[in-house]
Amino acid sequence: MKHFISFSLAVLMCSMVVAQQPNVNYDEHKVKPYTLPQVLKTNGGRQVTTKEIWEKQRRREILKLFEDNVYGQMPHSFDSINFTVSGKNNSAYNGRAKLKEVDIEVFRNSQSVVIHLLLFIPKSKSKPGVFLLINNRGKENTDATRQTKSEFWPVEMVVDSGFAIASFHVSDLAPDNKDSFTNGALRLYPEQASAENGMRAIGAWAWGASRVLDYLETDKDIDAKKVAVVGHSRGGKAALWAAAQDRRFAMCISNCSGNSGAKLSKRNFGETVAIINTAFPHWFSPNYKKYNDDEQALPVDQHMLISLIAPRPVYATNASEDLWADPTGTFLALKHAEEVYELYGIKPGLPMHPPAIDHPVNNSRVAYHNRTGIHNMIIYDWRNFVVFGKRFLK
Ligand code: GCU
């Protein structure tokens, strides 16, 4: 009954949106046939049968296709990086955690950018794994004093589960605004800002996650080999791109990431490439705009982005009322990525069809849930991330 009510509500809400956006499809029956590019066939048409061919050739090809057509290039070089512990509290959360605040400053071409990192480390565990959140919401969600508590970043629950939890804010890397997004990491890479396949905001946020990992590798209180990069929605798009690019991330969690995140684009269900590029022109490379209203011409789809994370564990989620982010399309993208995990001897764990709402499937390396409710990241989601972390961040 509950599901029925929320489903009816979703249909009602969606029909309201449809009334405003005539091009948005929320009807499964109206999904037109589409063909996904084959993950396991090289650009030259060769079948990929081993993980060696995957890693040496196909993985690189796919990464380049995403750089050239979607997220832009990911610059890997800079002049230097400095870490300054700007705050410390050895008895945070009633003495159960240590808090560190670290300023990570990256220099290139006489420019620099500072990423402010918050890190809570449980005292109950030596060298714990870390959930690193790319925070795309207000900074009140990641209050270091813990006077304001938010389910978006549930420090206490995660610490009590024996994991460290960290966050940085996207505005340190690229303000989320079409007029000012270059005022961050892109100051270090002006050549990116002027390139058609150059890095934009989502790329800058992902780049920032990697610089945080550079710091975590130097912190003896945590295990940098067990870092899960976590993001919600636009932050979830960046989390996938970060984990696809940087194989040091041991796990990726992408919550309600939707279009150009974990959902398939070619299904044209919910948000489309044209809509996202129009509303957020600063998120993706200029080249991505070529695919506005032409998803079928894209040489990639998002199952290929997920496959770049293999064999590392990946968890994507949805909320039942958030059809904009296409829960079914997210499930299908994960499902199609499983064949790359199979190259590593990992058997597909997802069922053939999307599991029922509120029935997480997170006992396999490619994990999924669709929770009752609206577009958000809440304690239900985090509890499941922790379950997944206990299984696979070992
Ligand atoms: C908008 C956008 C989505 C995005 C979301 C968010 O709804 O269309 O693509 O995921 O904002 O970041 O909250």
Side-chain angles (χ1 to χ4, degrees), residues 87-93 97-100 123:
K88 220 172 182 177
N89 177 358
N90 281 331
S91 122
Y93 179 26
K98 271 198 226 174
L99 162 66
K100 290 187 197 177
K123 286 198 192 159

Side-chain angles (χ1 to χ4, degrees), residues 66-73 190-200 284-290:
F66 275 107
E67 285 195 331
D68 286 344
N69 296 287
V70 184
Y71 303 101
Q73 307 295 295
E191 69 282 10
Q192 291 289 328
S194 58
E196 294 296 299
N197 65 351
M199 177 169 86
R200 293 296 182 271
F284 305 100
S285 73
N287 275 349
Y288 197 33
K289 276 97 189 156
K290 290 185 195 153

Side-chain angles (χ1 to χ4, degrees), residues 136-137 176 205 232-237 255-260 271 275-276 279-280 283-284 322 324-325 375:
N136 60 296
R137 286 203 172 164
D176 193 359
W205 303 340
H232 164 70
S233 207
R234 61 199 74 185
K237 306 179 207 295
N255 192 78
C256 294
S257 60
N259 189 285
S260 312
E271 187 176 24
I275 292 172
I276 204 168
F280 306 100
W283 281 1
F284 305 100
D322 183 17
W324 184 244
H375 184 72

Side-chain angles (χ1 to χ4, degrees), residues 335 338-339 341-342 345-352 364-366:
K335 189 73 202 151
E338 281 186 327
E339 57 182 330
Y341 284 76
E342 282 189 80
I346 298 162
K347 294 217 171 68
L350 291 175
M352 292 311 290
S364 55
R365 275 181 172 246
V366 181

Side-chain angles (χ1 to χ4, degrees), residues 40-58:
L40 292 183
K41 195 158 261 174
T42 66
N43 291 346
R46 177 180 177 207
Q47 192 66 33
V48 178
T49 49
T50 65
K51 63 174 194 280
E52 286 74 26
I53 307 176
W54 166 255
E55 290 192 1
K56 280 211 190 81
Q57 187 179 353
R58 184 57 174 153

